[in-house]
Amino acid sequence: MKNILLTIEYDGTLFSGWQRQPEKRTVQGELERVLGIVCRCPVQLNGTSRTDAGVHALGQRASFKGDFGIPTDRLMLAANNILAGGMNAVGKAGDLRILSAEEVPEDFHARFDAKGKKYVYKILNCQETQIFRRNQYYQVRKELNADAMRRAAGYITGTHDFKCFQSAGGQEKKTTVRTVYELNIIEGKTEAGQRTLSIEIKGDGFLYNMVRIITGTLVEVGLGKLSPEALPDILKSGQRQKAGHTAPPQGLYLSKVYYDLEDLAGL
């Protein structure tokens, strides 16, 4: 019996999220289908994060167990060939790819052994409509004040009750207290010279839509609709309606999953 840990990247545009659903194309469902063909046995994946429809991943992790003969290094190559289109895959890239496959101890679980995650949220800050970037960025047309957003981010970093940054509809959690180790706002430009802002957030866990609501709140700070100094009171209130809007899924990327606490905390 092998226990395999996968690292996966995907463009979430045409997926109905991670979790398998009847009659819908999902990342988990597609991977389980292809791995079942390669391993010649049913496969059930345990994913670290149940990303929503439209959300992307640069480093999603998932594990599965099975009694199959194909070598681990060949498993990834065979699965990626099918995911890219099989015999017609020359020169083509699909929207889902396995980046690595490794054998791990039998008791390892991709979700329950994770110590934390890093997300990146990409904002395109320009006036002109960008149709070819609409599935990769959240376009904000009015100029954002990045310095004000950074001041607000300073209040979010640390250990807090993040109930105000949680959407209704997620799984009930025992506690809404989380630790955000880093929250950085990085300015850049596209190849065409358009301004971008990347919000990078690393923490020990995230509530339902927490990153998207934090992003929406920071955008409202950047637009001058909220003061950076309002963040402590928003956090203390625990009220969702006091925080900003929920940013759309298209700009969100699951960047990295941490299994080492020291790596997560930057120790």
Side-chain angles (χ1 to χ4, degrees):
M1 180 71 71
K2 295 178 182 179
N3 191 13
I4 305 296
L5 174 63
L6 304 176
T7 304
I8 309 149
E9 68 175 4
Y10 49 87
D11 177 340
T13 303
L14 299 181
F15 289 102
S16 296
W18 164 267
Q19 193 170 7
R20 78 174 77 85
Q21 302 174 54
E23 308 302 323
K24 290 188 177 181
R25 185 173 184 254
T26 67
V27 180
Q28 182 183 24
E30 186 71 357
L31 281 171
E32 288 179 345
R33 179 186 69 82
V34 169
L35 290 169
I37 295 171
V38 172
C39 297
R40 299 185 179 180
C41 65
V43 168
Q44 183 171 330
L45 283 172
N46 298 303
T48 302
S49 179
R50 297 177 179 178
T51 54
D52 290 336
V55 175
H56 315 293
L58 305 172
Q60 169 74 287
R61 309 299 288 274
S63 58
F64 70 98
K65 294 181 180 181
D67 187 9
F68 44 84
I70 184 170
T72 303
D73 57 344
R74 295 295 303 171
L75 181 152
M76 180 182 74
L77 294 174
N80 281 338
N81 184 59
I82 297 174
L83 288 168
M87 294 290 290
N88 299 317
V90 177
K92 289 176 59 178
D95 55 5
L96 170 60
R97 185 166 70 110
I98 298 171
L99 297 175
S100 68
E102 57 185 298
E103 290 191 47
V104 290
E106 187 176 348
D107 61 351
F108 179 89
H109 192 286
R111 180 183 174 193
F112 298 134
D113 285 342
K115 305 300 183 187
K117 305 167 193 169
K118 177 181 178 181
Y119 286 92
V120 175
Y121 196 98
K122 297 184 179 183
I123 296 172
L124 184 63
N125 191 203
C126 68
Q127 291 186 350
E128 303 82 10
T129 299
Q130 302 293 315
I131 63 169
F132 295 111
R133 300 184 188 275
R134 70 191 187 282
N135 293 321
Q136 286 75 41
Y137 289 86
Y138 172 23
Q139 184 169 358
V140 179
R141 290 180 172 81
K142 292 185 178 179
E143 186 172 353
L144 292 168
N145 184 334
D147 289 336
M149 294 168 71
R150 291 188 183 100
R151 293 202 307 274
Y155 293 109
I156 297 171
T157 306
T159 301
H160 307 284
D161 185 336
F162 284 100
K163 187 177 181 180
C164 66
F165 292 132
Q166 175 181 243
S167 287
Q171 288 185 329
E172 188 72 23
K173 301 294 184 182
K174 292 181 180 179
T175 177
T176 50
V177 174
R178 298 289 187 273
T179 298
V180 171
Y181 291 101
E182 293 181 13
L183 179 50
N184 300 312
I185 297 166
I186 300 168
E187 297 182 75
K189 291 185 182 297
T190 66
E191 299 89 344
Q194 295 137 343
R195 186 189 190 207
T196 63
L197 281 79
S198 293
I199 298 173
E200 299 185 353
I201 183 168
K202 184 167 71 169
D204 62 358
F206 295 91
L207 305 170
Y208 183 53
N209 280 342
M210 178 173 160
V211 177
R212 290 167 60 188
I213 298 170
I214 287 175
T215 297
T217 303
L218 292 176
V219 165
E220 294 192 17
V221 169
L223 292 172
K225 296 180 179 181
L226 283 174
S227 164
E229 288 68 38
L231 265 296
D233 286 339
I234 292 172
L235 281 163
K236 187 177 180 180
S237 75
Q239 298 179 38
R240 170 67 189 91
Q241 62 268 30
K242 290 196 173 182
H245 65 279
T246 303
Q250 289 79 12
L252 183 59
Y253 297 73
L254 172 59
S255 177
K256 187 174 182 179
V257 177
Y258 295 88
Y259 293 105
D260 186 303
L261 189 57
E262 291 188 356
D263 188 21
L264 169 67
L267 301 177

